[in-house]
Amino acid sequence: MDRSSLFNRRGFLKKSTLATMAGMLGTKIAFADHMPGGYLPLAFRETGLAEPNPMLIKHKDLIVLNDKPWNVEPPAYLLDDAVTPADKMFIRNNGLIPDSIDVAKWELTINGESVKAPKTYSLSDLKKRFKTYTYQLVLECAGNGRSGYAPQTAGNQWSDGAVSCAEWTGVRLKDILADVGLKDDAIYIGYYGKDLHISQDPAKPVISRGVPIKKALEDETLVAWAMNGKDIPLTHGHPLRLVVGGWPASVSGKWLHTIAVRNKVHDGAKMTGKSYKVPINPVQPGVDPPEDQFKIIESMPVKSLITFPKTGATVDLGQPITLRGHAWAGDRAVKTVQVSFDFGSTWQNTKLQAPKNRLAWQHWTADLKLPQKGYYEIWARAVDDAGVSQPMVMPQWNPEGYCNNACHRIAVKVV
Ligand SMILES: Nc1nc2c(c(=O)[nH]1)N[C@H]1C(S)=C(S)[C@@H](COP(=O)(O)O)O[C@H]1N2
Ligand SMILES: [Mo]
């Protein structure tokens, strides 16, 4: 990590760095103006990451794919919790975290061609005027699993960790939109967040995506101010975030300040071109068709993770192990999860729980007895309630490397 981006020319922590640190600590640094030049507070040295890392109070085992902007993922075994805690949650930023956030002055504006009249709410308006709901929602980056595609595609080379299921609290977008009043021609919404383009040019948009009005009006689509019962962490969208479970997490806009209700498909940054799109017709790996032959990714495909044990575990012969993991299927529910330890020749059922609520992930466990000494791969395969299964090795290749829902595997040794 480049220290010069944290310190100003005189060698003191930049105001923006201090604001970020305060956000991470949940409180201001007292006597910050007394800190010596070049000094980095202890709390930001003990993250265990190779370099001091002020953006993240994150588990030391997280893997940094990129620090400009921050893209960070947990290895699969860190996703073992039923509800993903903040310190183990992946980060996908397209730009720079906003510099200064004044929660007292934060507003949400609803505008666009298809509102009867634009309307603006303060955070306390939102909390007072609408009923509050809490849901566990799966947010998976559409690029999760990209590193598994051959030939390799451009973009962050995520393994399997760009997915989370946290508990989000806020108000229903549909209640806000009912209060604003929509015209009959409303077909899409688009969000705008306060993050800065990597060039620091405020005129350049970072990301502004959206969903069809039908998805926007679902009960579980939230405008949220809390995650896991606390203020949303700065990196994950503090103080306000759109949360749309089951779809590419790129539609869940962080640092939310505006939602536009559109009379056409939203055309914000990363809605156009080939971003978050896949070819309408399957292509041969390596073939990149023209733009007009792509469609926008909507519900994410069925997928599962093995979160216990971790790859590299050693088991004594005859000792049973209980595997654990989660499974999810975009807008659908998961019907079954099976596991195999013989490269998919035979499969055994797991115990699969119902989701806490629609669009939450489902937990599964399986008791396994590995029959002889040696190296094993354990594979997990989920099937959704429409009968669609995870592919064993690789799904349909696509030029941007999205939606890789191939079976997750772990390697263990029996000794
Ligand atoms: N404002 C804003 N919202 C954003 C992004 C962003 O860069 N800026 N990234 C999106 C993408 S691509 C993903 S995958 C998720 C990541 O959410 P997380 O960092 O909280 O895990 O946020 C989405 N919302
Ligand atoms: Mo993403």
Side-chain angles (χ1 to χ4, degrees):
M1 147 130 216
D2 176 13
R3 278 174 70 92
S4 67
S5 62
L6 307 179
F7 295 92
N8 65 22
R9 264 177 289 116
R10 287 162 35 246
F12 293 95
L13 286 172
K14 284 182 187 166
K15 264 178 110 171
S16 56
T17 313
L18 283 169
T20 303
M21 288 180 167
M24 298 307 301
L25 292 169
T27 181
K28 272 199 312 206
I29 299 176
F31 301 111
D33 55 336
H34 291 205
M35 268 192 290
Y39 184 78
L40 198 62
L42 284 180
F44 300 96
R45 298 187 208 175
E46 292 175 350
T47 61
L49 293 169
E51 295 284 328
N53 185 337
M55 297 297 178
L56 315 165
I57 300 291
K58 286 282 183 187
H59 193 283
K60 64 179 175 36
D61 293 355
L62 292 202
I63 298 150
V64 179
L65 300 182
N66 190 346
D67 68 3
K68 280 196 194 92
W70 285 106
N71 288 296
V72 175
E73 72 172 315
Y77 66 85
L78 272 193
L79 289 172
D80 196 37
D81 301 81
V83 175
T84 312
D87 70 324
K88 297 174 185 166
M89 181 177 277
F90 80 99
I91 302 172
R92 177 17 175 166
N93 286 340
N94 289 266
L96 303 170
I97 295 174
D99 251 9
S100 52
I101 290 171
D102 187 344
V103 178
K105 291 201 183 123
W106 197 273
E107 288 179 334
L108 173 68
T109 297
I110 310 291
N111 60 21
E113 306 93 4
S114 297
V115 293
K116 288 187 177 144
K119 203 161 174 175
T120 295
Y121 302 89
S122 67
L123 269 184
S124 63
D125 286 340
L126 290 177
K127 292 180 185 177
K128 275 196 308 246
R129 303 222 355 220
F130 303 101
K131 188 168 174 223
T132 299
Y133 294 87
T134 297
Y135 296 110
Q136 291 181 13
L137 297 165
V138 174
L139 296 187
E140 181 177 17
C141 181
N144 194 26
R146 181 179 285 130
S147 63
Y149 278 118
Q152 202 184 68
T153 65
N156 288 300
Q157 294 300 306
W158 301 105
S159 301
D160 308 294
V163 58
S164 65
C165 183
E167 199 162 75
W168 296 92
T169 298
V171 295
R172 287 178 168 161
L173 179 58
K174 75 175 199 185
D175 293 346
I176 303 176
L177 296 183
D179 185 63
V180 173
L182 302 189
K183 294 185 189 161
D184 291 340
D185 64 355
I187 64 159
Y188 231 88
I189 61 123
Y191 71 76
Y192 294 88
K194 273 223 170 101
D195 41 347
L196 252 188
H197 192 267
I198 201 86
S199 65
Q200 302 201 23
D201 177 351
K204 283 200 182 152
V206 180
I207 183 169
S208 168
R209 305 201 65 240
V211 294
I213 199 78
K214 183 164 181 278
K215 180 70 180 168
L217 296 180
E218 281 185 359
D219 286 353
E220 298 83 3
T221 299
L222 294 181
V223 170
W225 56 77
M227 189 185 99
N228 298 342
K230 300 202 178 109
D231 285 352
I232 300 174
L234 183 62
T235 28
H236 298 293
H238 179 72
L240 199 65
R241 179 175 196 172
L242 179 64
V243 190
V244 186
W247 285 38
S250 54
V251 300
S252 291
K254 304 194 269 191
W255 311 291
L256 176 72
H257 66 78
T258 298
I259 291 176
V261 184
R262 311 297 313 267
N263 63 6
K264 57 180 177 190
V265 174
H266 182 57
D267 51 3
K270 307 216 172 190
M271 280 303 291
T272 53
K274 294 179 182 177
S275 294
Y276 303 102
K277 293 183 190 171
V278 291
I280 297 165
N281 300 308
V283 295
Q284 193 182 319
V287 171
D288 193 357
E291 240 174 77
D292 63 354
Q293 289 171 36
F294 280 71
K295 61 177 180 198
I296 299 171
I297 302 165
E298 300 201 325
S299 176
M300 291 290 286
V302 60
K303 199 160 174 180
S304 58
L305 270 183
I306 305 165
T307 58
F308 182 86
K310 62 172 158 181
T311 273
T314 306
V315 190
D316 289 330
L317 183 64
Q319 183 199 324
I321 46 171
T322 303
L323 308 175
R324 288 195 292 270
H326 318 290
W328 61 97
D331 283 339
R332 296 179 184 155
V334 177
K335 196 173 61 185
T336 55
V337 176
Q338 296 186 315
V339 291
S340 172
F341 53 77
D342 53 11
F343 300 99
S345 307
T346 61
W347 293 87
Q348 96 181 43
N349 280 325
T350 69
K351 260 184 258 154
L352 177 67
Q353 291 178 31
K356 175 83 195 269
N357 51 258
R358 186 173 168 258
L359 310 181
W361 64 19
Q362 295 169 238
H363 314 301
W364 59 267
T365 56
D367 298 324
L368 216 66
K369 224 174 178 173
L370 299 170
Q372 63 193 67
K373 288 185 181 177
Y375 166 92
Y376 287 83
E377 287 192 10
I378 299 171
W379 297 10
R381 182 180 67 182
V383 181
D384 71 22
D385 60 10
V388 179
S389 168
Q390 285 184 259
M392 235 135 77
V393 179
M394 217 212 285
Q396 173 58 49
W397 185 93
N398 62 89
E400 306 287 306
Y402 295 127
C403 299
N404 183 353
N405 66 334
C407 288
H408 182 223
R409 305 112 204 267
I410 58 163
V412 299
K413 261 193 281 186
V414 175
V415 292

